[in-house]
Amino acid sequence: MKFWQGLDPLRALSGTPIADLLTDARLDRFTVDAAGMHLDLSKTSITDGALDLLIDLASDVPGRRDAMYAGEKINETEGRAVLHTALRAAPDAEITVDGQNVVPGVQETLTRMREFARAIRHGDFSGQGGAITDVVNIGIGGSDLGPAMAVRALAPYHDGPRCHFVSNVDGADWADTARGLNPATTLVIVASKTFTTIETMTNARTAWDWMAAEVEDPAAQFAALSSAQEKTADWDIPPSRVFGFEDWVGGRYSVWGPIGLSLMIAIGPDAFDEFLSGGRAMDDHFREAPLGANMPVLLALAGLWHHQVCGYPTRAVLPYDDRLARLPAYLQQLEMESNGKGVTMEGDDLPGPAGPVVWGEPGTNGQHAFYQLIHQGRTPVPCEFMVAAMGHERELDHHHRLLIANCLAQSEALLRGRTLDEARAKLAGKFEGAELDRQAAHRVFQGDRPSTTLVYPCLDPATLGAIVALYEHRVFVEGVMLGINSYDQWGVELGKELATSLGPLVEGEDASAKDPSTRNLLTLLRGWR
Ligand code: F6P
């Protein structure tokens, strides 16, 4: 709660124009290197004094961080440890939960995953119509977004069977994916931590029926990923193809283990290991670097500065990396499901908002869509840019040079803006008098808009792992400082309960107990069916 008490002093330190702060010397404090990446926070309005204060207010972070790594039950509302870091820990690490070292179990499952992935990739495990050509991961939320994002991000490393992701209960998702697939050469992976999620179970049942219509033994081409292994038994999937994980892995933190199986099949166990090693490199940095030189901590402090101190309601994630197209959606779950909370760990009302709205799209596409608002809209949007030094398409390096130039140009434009005088000077000769003033006013950019930029040599598996772990730890730090529980998600429950109770009403049962709007919508929809 310390952070909330520090808000007024922090606000008193805000308001300095970024351009006034941006000296060469500022780079010493406001840039940081970790896991082969470089993060620049210098284009923010955080002053030296504000950073000192923010770091003071982060004094609980090291203790909570150590508690997390040590397997303490820091997810207090669910009585669970938070140990996604154990999924990428060194094989000889020792991490205990309830007195038991969990690393050997993690390694055993990883070994089984590797064997299965290799068997598929080498044709030793095949479907009833030949070698596996396609893998369909059926899952939603954390059981979809991580592997879907990562498979796309690592397309240059994808040398295994094609991978598809079905998440939405909208039958269109399944139908569009299944069209063109051969059930006899497809592996279906049912990914669900709880193995009860209605969307996933519905899609899995449909997939099963689709498979059963073509092959003798559908179970032979199904695999399951879950922490509720007893529930997978109902599906007759042999235990050798069930990959379990413990309840101390949150759904949105689960890509590192069994939920990442489709990624491992796509890129191979060795590249998957590199992905884990990138996450581990960020873990080591997060554990060891002092707060003021700690990448996740500094990114979190910038986040708190922008949302809670400056009051900016959203932040944009803008990867200048087309293969990170799903990263904003992935981070939406990671950040908003973790820190979109209204009460403290103790259950008291929060004195202010916790997490901001997170959104984004890859550059340069976004430039031609919503950047207008980012540059001239009245509400500043802190932007988190990211770009690689090199693309994988070396023969298209002229594209990549343009990509880099655009990325840097945007953060520079946000910073500098354009004054009325500059706009007038640009238009002089074209317009004059009142029309010159009017036209110039439309071309003014306020400037002084904050951004951060993350740069890395190339989007390889290790770098992707480091980026994901960076954001995971950023969420953790923000959560600790806000005094919330980042690891539960009770806010999704009510909608799920109501959907269950609405099911029979959609089919025609009496809806008179519903509110007038819901009743009216139901009547209309039922009438149109
Ligand atoms: O509804 C939210 C949620 O519980 C997420 O936290 C989770 O990632 C998703 O649903 C899917 O859950 P499961 O993996 O248990 O199917």
Side-chain angles (χ1 to χ4, degrees), residues 140-143 192-194 197 200 251-252 333 337 489 492 496:
I140 197 164
S143 298
S192 175
K193 180 176 170 181
T194 55
T197 305
T200 301
R252 52 194 174 273
Q333 188 198 17
E337 196 167 76
Q489 56 282 322
V492 302
K496 284 186 192 172

Side-chain angles (χ1 to χ4, degrees), residues 137-206:
N137 183 87
I138 296 182
I140 197 164
S143 298
D144 164 74
L145 288 163
M149 177 276 292
V151 165
R152 175 142 187 196
L154 298 177
Y157 303 85
H158 190 157
D159 54 4
R162 290 178 291 264
C163 286
H164 314 266
F165 295 87
V166 173
S167 53
N168 202 324
V169 75
D170 184 342
D173 198 5
W174 166 258
D176 289 351
T177 305
R179 195 172 302 124
L181 295 188
N182 176 1
T185 59
T186 296
L187 174 77
V188 173
I189 298 177
V190 186
S192 175
K193 180 176 170 181
T194 55
F195 235 71
T196 56
T197 305
I198 189 76
E199 293 92 331
T200 301
M201 294 302 113
T202 305
N203 278 322
R205 185 55 63 197
T206 300

